[in-house]
Amino acid sequence: MGLALITGVTGQDGTYLVEDLLADGVEVHGLVRPGSIAPINDRVIQHRIDLTDSAGLQGLVSDLQPELIFHLAGQTSVAESWADPVAAINQTGVPTAALLSAIASASPGSRFVNASSAEIFGDAPAPQSEKTPVNPLSPYGAAKALGFFLVQGFRDRGMHASSAILYNHESPRRPEQFVTRKISKAAARIALGRQKTLRLGNLDAARDWGWAPDYVRALRLMAQQETAADYVIGTGESHSVREFVAAAFRVAGIEDWQSHVEIDPEFLRPADPKVQLADSSLARQRLGWAPTVDFAGIAEAMVIADLEAESRS
Ligand code: GDP
């Protein structure tokens, strides 16, 4: 029960979080960008307010007095942030400041959970934990770091505010600009004879890939803690892009994935963390959180969903 306000309500994590909260009888309100045409769950009460509009946000949280506020909105990807660094700050950094200040002045009893990112650690040695220095490599990481520090500052001043330092998390709802979904969709299309090649960037990059619904559960657990704190959320296993390609193509029934993959410099990034690997001991101990789907399970679920979608279309 209670009332939750979510930013980023139409994204991968937003849709899972909405379903979870509704299933528990929570009244869910979503902040939606004016002009956005993304489909939205019709049980979500929508508020069309720009996330940089401090006065608008203050009015809304003052009216709603939400128990829970989940801040998931932001520029979605690292690649995009190199194309438009100003948008990275405007869409990821500034809204966190606007929300925190609105809550502090108009709804100080709200519990705030910020979706931060492993990108704040840049290329730090693996594994990374809450103790790892923040040292981002990309505009996306820098914008997420700004939000992370703001959350710490407002927490120090008494707000129940936490950041979830989320490692990559995937599902069939992941947009195709992310490498796992690009791969799962291509594997399905190649298996069905609809596509010949898949062009990728750096196959050696290693990421700690988890299952998105598990990460959404972590956000809720963090909000329920008596004391707010930041938590690293990841599986503790890291796999290369190459391994994901092999796993996905195997699910699609293709063993010789090498003959279908080409390296395209267009997808190489100016700076790309080499190995991301989460040490989530704190979340496991204090939140009782643990991932439920492993690397092979994620590849399997994504490719099966894409095979089904492709077969229908
Ligand atoms: P991100 O870590 O949040 O940016 O998630 P992505 O799924 O976009 O990227 C994960 C890793 O895959 C990064 O190290 C990318 O450099 C690497 N990668 C390799 N080829 C590609 C590609 O074709 N597209 C994307 N998006 N990433 C790629």
Side-chain angles (χ1 to χ4, degrees):
M1 298 299 166
L3 192 154
L5 176 64
I6 305 177
T7 76
V9 78
T10 58
Q12 168 187 256
D13 298 353
T15 59
Y16 283 120
L17 182 58
V18 164
E19 289 164 18
D20 261 26
L21 291 165
L22 288 172
D24 286 344
V26 177
E27 180 178 319
V28 181
H29 292 249
L31 268 168
V32 183
R33 196 162 17 98
S36 162
I37 50 159
I40 183 161
N41 187 315
D42 59 14
R43 292 174 63 199
V44 172
I45 302 160
Q46 296 181 42
H47 303 276
R48 301 245 163 200
I49 299 175
D50 193 282
L51 274 173
T52 57
D53 172 5
S54 299
L57 293 174
Q58 195 170 322
L60 181 69
V61 295
S62 173
D63 288 347
L64 294 178
Q65 296 291 314
E67 276 159 34
L68 306 170
I69 300 177
F70 295 99
H71 178 36
L72 313 180
Q75 196 183 46
T76 39
S77 84
V78 176
E80 214 178 283
S81 81
W82 282 111
D84 194 346
V86 175
I89 306 304
N90 286 341
Q91 294 171 18
T92 303
V94 175
T96 314
L99 269 170
L100 285 164
S101 69
I103 297 163
S105 61
S107 183
S110 296
R111 293 185 170 200
F112 181 78
V113 180
N114 173 46
S116 190
S117 161
E119 291 291 327
I120 67 172
F121 296 139
D123 216 358
Q128 300 94 24
S129 75
E130 297 80 6
K131 296 195 178 73
T132 301
V134 173
N135 190 16
L137 286 182
S138 63
Y140 175 88
K144 285 286 189 186
L146 170 57
F148 177 80
F149 288 129
L150 288 167
V151 166
Q152 284 191 343
F154 278 83
R155 182 168 64 234
D156 288 347
R157 298 180 59 167
M159 190 186 291
H160 195 293
S162 314
S163 286
I165 305 166
L166 301 172
Y167 282 62
N168 295 45
H169 44 287
E170 318 296 314
S171 76
R173 298 185 194 175
R174 193 69 148 147
E176 276 166 61
Q177 82 229 49
F178 292 91
V179 78
T180 54
R181 184 72 200 289
K182 183 175 171 183
I183 294 167
S184 68
K185 186 158 185 193
R189 289 178 59 82
I190 291 169
L192 295 169
R194 294 186 177 178
Q195 185 176 328
K196 281 211 154 38
T197 44
L198 166 61
R199 288 189 178 77
L200 293 170
N202 179 12
L203 297 187
D204 295 318
R207 292 289 178 271
D208 183 329
W209 275 299
W211 180 240
D214 285 338
Y215 290 57
V216 162
R217 199 173 66 254
L219 300 178
R220 291 191 66 192
L221 288 168
M222 287 172 57
Q224 287 160 13
Q225 298 308 296
E226 201 172 306
T227 311
D230 303 324
Y231 292 91
V232 159
I233 305 294
T235 68
E237 258 188 54
S238 192
H239 294 271
S240 65
V241 173
R242 178 180 285 100
E243 285 174 89
F244 194 88
V245 175
F249 276 69
R250 196 171 307 127
V251 175
I254 303 166
E255 289 298 332
D256 68 329
W257 62 267
Q258 287 90 342
S259 60
H260 298 285
V261 172
E262 283 174 13
I263 302 304
D264 185 337
E266 185 194 332
F267 300 112
L268 295 172
R269 297 185 184 171
D272 201 24
K274 285 188 271 302
V275 182
Q276 288 183 351
L277 176 64
D279 172 357
S280 284
S281 318
L282 189 68
R284 287 171 189 264
Q285 282 159 22
R286 276 212 224 152
L287 307 177
W289 179 84
T292 63
V293 183
D294 68 5
F295 178 73
I298 294 164
E300 188 179 339
M302 291 179 73
V303 174
I304 288 174
D306 275 322
L307 281 168
E308 283 171 5
E310 285 292 325
S311 310
R312 276 196 307 271
S313 65

